[in-house]
Amino acid sequence: MEKISVVISCYNEEKALPLFYEEMERVRKQDFKDVDFEYIFVNDGSKDKTLDEIKELRKKDKKVRYISFSRNFGKEAAMFAGLEAAEGNYVTLMDADLQDPPSLLRQMYDTIKKENYDCVGTRRVTRKGEPKLRSFFARMFYKIINKMSDIDMVDGARDYRLITRQVVDAIISMKEYNRYSKGITSFVGFETKWIEYENVERVAGETKWSFWKLFKYALEGITAFSTAPLVMSSIIGLLICLIAFILIIVVIVKTLVLGDPTSGWPSMVCIILMVSGIQLFSLGIIGQYLSKTYLEVKKRPIYIVKETEKSNK
Ligand code: UDP
Ligand code: MG
């Protein structure tokens, strides 16, 4: 029998977890009589009773496996750990808050089996229930990143997807420390079909993404998959040199013809301010890439495990 591994990243999800398990089991019993399942809960250093909840589930259901981190490593690390641990022929990545409806899973599975896709992704067509400003910035981000990088990132795409063993292996072969999974999945390629659905609000608990966290995540995405900002700063630098050169000639000619050597201090100050601003900005861009390279070169582990279902504590 074929096996689907469900990877669930959990950070402070004590309230949502039982609801998730119940719904997932309902769908499994109803739609998947012909397929084996395993659930891999990745506890991303939760500060509440999430781990206890998971252990409860493990006690009554041996399909439940878990990996518990030594601290919070972020969702990307959690998904990576889950993919590495998964043993199924197919793997699906889900949130614990039921924003990724398990009821779509059968349709996704059939698409892979019958239509020969390697990956079925899901995409929210609406952002109902999300702050307007957040939606606006999200849209802008996708416009910018798609212009700047060679790979295609789909607006509204969620991390909720079903992938074949081949794709799983391709993704875990990318061991980079700065993980941006939307970029990684488009980078590895393969045939992807998108299933669209309306946004669902989380069942319990609250979102872990503040605006600031999302902003940093967006920068991560840009620096991880595009070097366009580096090119941009060189081009701006070159342009300014050109303008300066033309201005120098103008000033020399003016001085020789009109004999007016010391006017124009205010404009001088403006120019100095602008140019030094651009210099600092470019330096910042280089700094971003340098810091990513720095972390990458250190080869730190992506996550550290404290315990799993195999450690008998
Ligand atoms: N999550 C995680 N580590 C984190 C933050 C979030 O594993 O540091 C998990 C969280 O438990 C949830 C999923 O990632 O299952 C999505 O998080 P959330 O629902 O807060 O994000 P949103 O759906 O609002 O974008
Ligand atoms: Mg959510």
Side-chain angles (χ1 to χ4, degrees):
M1 215 158 32
E2 287 191 315
K3 188 176 194 175
I4 298 181
S5 304
V6 184
V7 171
I8 310 109
S9 43
C10 317
Y11 177 53
N12 297 348
E13 301 283 8
E14 57 175 5
K15 290 204 198 77
L17 265 186
L19 299 171
F20 171 84
Y21 177 77
E22 207 176 294
E23 167 70 8
M24 189 63 237
E25 275 291 281
R26 189 188 64 74
V27 170
R28 184 185 70 81
K29 283 180 192 142
Q30 182 190 316
D31 297 345
F32 287 98
K33 299 199 173 70
D34 52 340
V35 188
D36 258 349
F37 265 72
E38 70 173 351
Y39 301 132
I40 303 176
F41 290 94
V42 185
N43 173 33
D44 186 10
S46 301
K47 295 189 175 60
D48 61 1
K49 300 254 178 299
T50 302
L51 184 58
D52 298 337
E53 286 289 342
I54 298 174
K55 284 181 179 167
E56 272 312 302
L57 294 178
R58 165 77 187 176
K59 259 185 216 151
K60 58 178 187 195
D61 184 354
K62 290 286 168 253
K63 290 195 299 302
V64 172
R65 300 173 52 198
Y66 65 89
I67 303 167
S68 186
F69 288 176
S70 59
R71 63 167 172 88
N72 179 253
F73 279 88
K75 190 185 177 192
E76 293 288 346
M79 291 193 294
F80 181 70
L83 286 176
E84 279 195 326
E87 287 165 359
N89 315 76
Y90 302 92
V91 179
T92 176
L93 299 157
M94 277 191 201
D95 286 2
D97 57 5
L98 286 176
Q99 278 192 303
D100 302 327
S103 49
L104 287 177
L105 206 55
R106 183 74 222 192
Q107 189 192 347
M108 291 159 77
Y109 182 70
D110 287 342
T111 310
I112 283 198
K113 297 292 287 182
K114 296 192 185 119
E115 297 175 42
N116 257 326
Y117 282 96
D118 307 291
C119 170
V120 181
T122 57
R123 146 168 209 263
R124 290 185 293 184
V125 274
T126 55
R127 287 177 171 269
K128 201 172 63 194
E130 197 185 63
K132 284 257 159 28
L133 199 69
R134 187 164 152 180
S135 308
F136 171 75
F137 278 109
R139 291 233 166 75
M140 228 169 62
F141 168 72
Y142 283 106
K143 276 212 185 100
I144 295 176
I145 188 131
N146 281 326
K147 285 240 163 64
M148 280 185 1
S149 68
D150 304 330
I151 51 183
D152 200 23
M153 290 185 214
V154 179
D155 184 4
R158 299 206 33 106
D159 291 324
Y160 180 26
R161 59 180 91 81
L162 183 70
I163 53 184
T164 61
R165 178 50 41 195
Q166 215 184 358
V167 182
V168 176
D169 291 341
I171 292 176
I172 53 186
S173 76
M174 292 179 75
K175 303 244 183 268
E176 56 205 75
Y177 182 77
N178 298 287
R179 301 191 75 77
Y180 183 70
S181 65
K182 283 182 183 143
I184 289 176
T185 39
S186 3
F187 180 88
V188 298
F190 295 102
E191 293 290 328
T192 303
K193 176 161 180 168
W194 294 98
I195 289 181
E196 299 186 344
Y197 73 104
E198 296 266 328
N199 190 25
V200 186
E201 287 183 42
R202 63 157 47 236
V203 280
E206 53 206 47
T207 177
K208 276 96 206 169
W209 292 91
S210 62
F211 191 80
W212 177 237
K213 250 179 133 178
L214 275 178
F215 181 73
K216 283 204 298 199
Y217 188 58
L219 278 190
E220 184 101 335
I222 292 175
T223 45
F225 281 91
S226 162
T227 44
L230 288 172
V231 178
M232 208 170 70
S233 58
S234 333
I235 292 177
I236 293 175
L238 210 70
L239 263 174
I240 290 179
C241 281
L242 212 81
I243 294 171
F245 186 69
I246 294 168
L247 280 180
I248 289 170
I249 294 176
V250 170
V251 168
I252 291 175
V253 171
K254 223 170 111 187
T255 315
L256 286 179
V257 176
L258 301 173
D260 181 20
T262 50
S263 71
W265 278 109
S267 52
M268 184 79 111
V269 172
C270 294
I271 291 167
I272 289 176
L273 276 181
M274 191 183 90
V275 173
S276 48
I278 290 171
Q279 271 176 356
L280 277 181
F281 178 69
S282 312
L283 221 88
I285 291 177
I286 296 172
Q288 284 293 327
Y289 283 94
L290 192 67
S291 69
K292 300 282 169 218
T293 316
Y294 174 64
L295 285 176
E296 217 61 74
V297 165
K298 282 190 172 196
K299 289 221 185 314
R300 284 180 180 161
I302 296 168
Y303 61 89
I304 294 169
V305 176
K306 182 161 175 221
E307 67 169 288
T308 69
E309 80 278 355
K310 292 191 186 92
S311 45
N312 7 304
K313 267 187 217 162

